[in-house]
C-alpha cells in the first residue's frame, strides 16, 4: 500500500495529522503484518509568497499572519495559537508559537526530496517541523537547513550542492502542481493507493478506516 501525503512543514495540522496516521499505522501493522505500507511525502506550500532568502525579514509570527489573513484581532489569533499548542502537547509535541517564524518552505521541501532519495525522509521531516514549531528557527535559512540535513545523516556534499543550486526545484513544483490538479486546498492531504483521499488532521479512527478500505480494495 502506498500513502501519498501533501504536507507543509509549517502547517500545524500537518504534524497533528502525521501523528494520528502514525498511530493508525501502528495498529494496522499488527493486524496486517503482511501488508507493506510505503509513505511518500509530497510538497505543499501554505504560503508561496513567504520570504525565501535567509537575509529577508521573517514574515512575522503565526499569530500575526492569522490575524491578517482572517481579519481577526491579535487577541483572537493568540488564543487560537494557544489552543493549537495545547493540541500539540496532547501528542507530546511542543509549539512555541511566540518564537515560530513565518518563512518560505520551498528550500525545506527541496531538502526533504533529497532526504527521500537517501531513505531519510521521515527523519528530515521531523527535524524541520521541530526547528519551526519548537525551536523558533527560520527554516528558509541555508545554515539551518544544512545542519538539519547533515544531522539527519545526509551526505554533506549533497546538502551543500542542493543549497547552493536548484536541485529538486522541479520536483517540488511538480508536487505543488499535482496537488492543485487534484483539488488540494490545504494540508494535510492523504491519498491511499491513488484512489482514497482523506483531507485534514482526521482522528486516528478515520485513518484506521481508510487503511482498512485501501487494504481491502473497497475504496
Amino acid at each position: 500500500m502506498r500513502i501519498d501525503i501533501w504536507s507543509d512543514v509549517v502547517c500545524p495540522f500537518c504534524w497533528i495529522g502525521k501523528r494520528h496516521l502514525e498511530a493508525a499505522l501502528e495498529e494496522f501493522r499488527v493486524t496486517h503484518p503482511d501488508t507493506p505500507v510505503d509513505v511518500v511525502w509530497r510538497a505543499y506550500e501554505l504560503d508561496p509568497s513567504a520570504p525565501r532568502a535567509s537575509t529577508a525579514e521573517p514574515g512575522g509570527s503565526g499569530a500575526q499572519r492569522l490575524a491578517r489573513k482572517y481579519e481577526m484581532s491579535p487577541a483572537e489569533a493568540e488564543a487560537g495559537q494557544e489552543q493549537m499548542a495545547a493540541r500539540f502537547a496532547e501528542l507530546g509535541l511542543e509549539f512555541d508559537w511566540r518564537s515560530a517564524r513565518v518563512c518560505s518552505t520551498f528550500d525545506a521541501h527541496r531538502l526533504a526530496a533529497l532526504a527521500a532519495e537517501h531513505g531519510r525522509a521521515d527523519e528530515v521531516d521531523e527535524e524541520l517541523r521541530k526547528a519551526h514549531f519548537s525551536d523558533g528557527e527560520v527554516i528558509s535559512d541555508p545554515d539551518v537547513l544544512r545542519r538539519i540535513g547533515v544531522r539527519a545523516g545526509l551526505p554533506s556534499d549533497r546538502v551543500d550542492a542542493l543549497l547552493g543550486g536548484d536541485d529538486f526545484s522541479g520536483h517540488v513544483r511538480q508536487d505543488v502542481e499535482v496537488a492543485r490538479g487534484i483539488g488540494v486546498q490545504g494540508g494535510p492531504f492523504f491519498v491511499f493507493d491513488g484512489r482514497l483521499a482523506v483531507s485534514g488532521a482526521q482522528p486516528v479512527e478515520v485513518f484506521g478506516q481508510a487503511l482498512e478500505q485501501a487494504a481491502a480494495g473497497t475504496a
Side-chain angles (χ1 to χ4, degrees):
M1 182 191 307
R2 173 172 165 148
I3 307 173
D4 290 274
I5 308 173
W6 277 265
S7 170
D8 200 354
V9 291
V10 297
C11 165
F13 292 106
C14 292
W15 210 1
I16 293 172
K18 180 182 182 182
R19 285 293 184 269
H20 288 178
L21 175 64
E22 287 171 343
L25 277 171
E26 186 174 351
E27 296 178 8
F28 180 81
R29 286 174 172 136
V30 171
T31 57
H32 298 75
D34 298 324
T35 302
V37 179
D38 184 22
V39 176
V40 179
W41 293 99
R42 300 290 189 184
Y44 185 81
E45 291 184 280
L46 281 183
D47 186 3
S49 66
R52 181 177 178 185
S54 62
T55 56
E57 182 69 21
S61 70
Q64 292 169 337
R65 183 180 66 84
L66 286 174
R68 291 193 301 266
K69 183 175 181 179
Y70 297 107
E71 298 182 349
M72 61 176 64
S73 71
E76 290 173 324
E78 290 179 4
Q81 296 292 80
E82 286 286 0
Q83 292 172 4
M84 186 62 68
R87 292 187 65 178
F88 269 45
E90 291 173 357
L91 296 171
L93 305 173
E94 180 184 0
F95 182 13
D96 182 1
W97 61 267
R98 291 179 177 84
S99 299
R101 311 307 297 176
V102 175
C103 62
S104 170
T105 56
F106 189 84
D107 289 335
H109 285 304
R110 293 199 300 124
L111 180 67
L114 174 64
E117 189 177 85
H118 289 269
R120 309 296 291 176
D122 190 67
E123 290 83 355
V124 167
D125 182 80
E126 286 292 317
E127 288 290 339
L128 287 167
R129 295 181 195 276
K130 181 178 181 294
H132 172 72
F133 287 109
S134 307
D135 300 337
E137 297 192 273
V138 179
I139 60 170
S140 60
D141 186 330
D143 290 337
V144 173
L145 293 174
R146 187 183 192 281
R147 186 174 69 252
I148 288 173
V150 172
R151 186 166 59 198
L154 301 183
S156 59
D157 59 334
R158 290 295 309 275
V159 174
D160 289 339
L162 178 137
L163 296 174
D166 63 354
D167 293 357
F168 295 101
S169 291
H171 179 97
V172 172
R173 294 191 182 100
Q174 183 179 25
D175 276 355
V176 172
E177 186 62 29
V178 170
R180 186 178 296 115
I182 63 176
V184 178
Q185 297 182 342
F189 192 86
F190 307 80
V191 178
F192 295 76
D193 269 353
R195 51 198 171 85
L196 173 62
V198 175
S199 179
Q202 297 294 334
V204 174
E205 295 75 17
V206 173
F207 286 117
Q209 293 168 5
L211 286 165
E212 292 290 346
Q213 290 177 25
T218 58

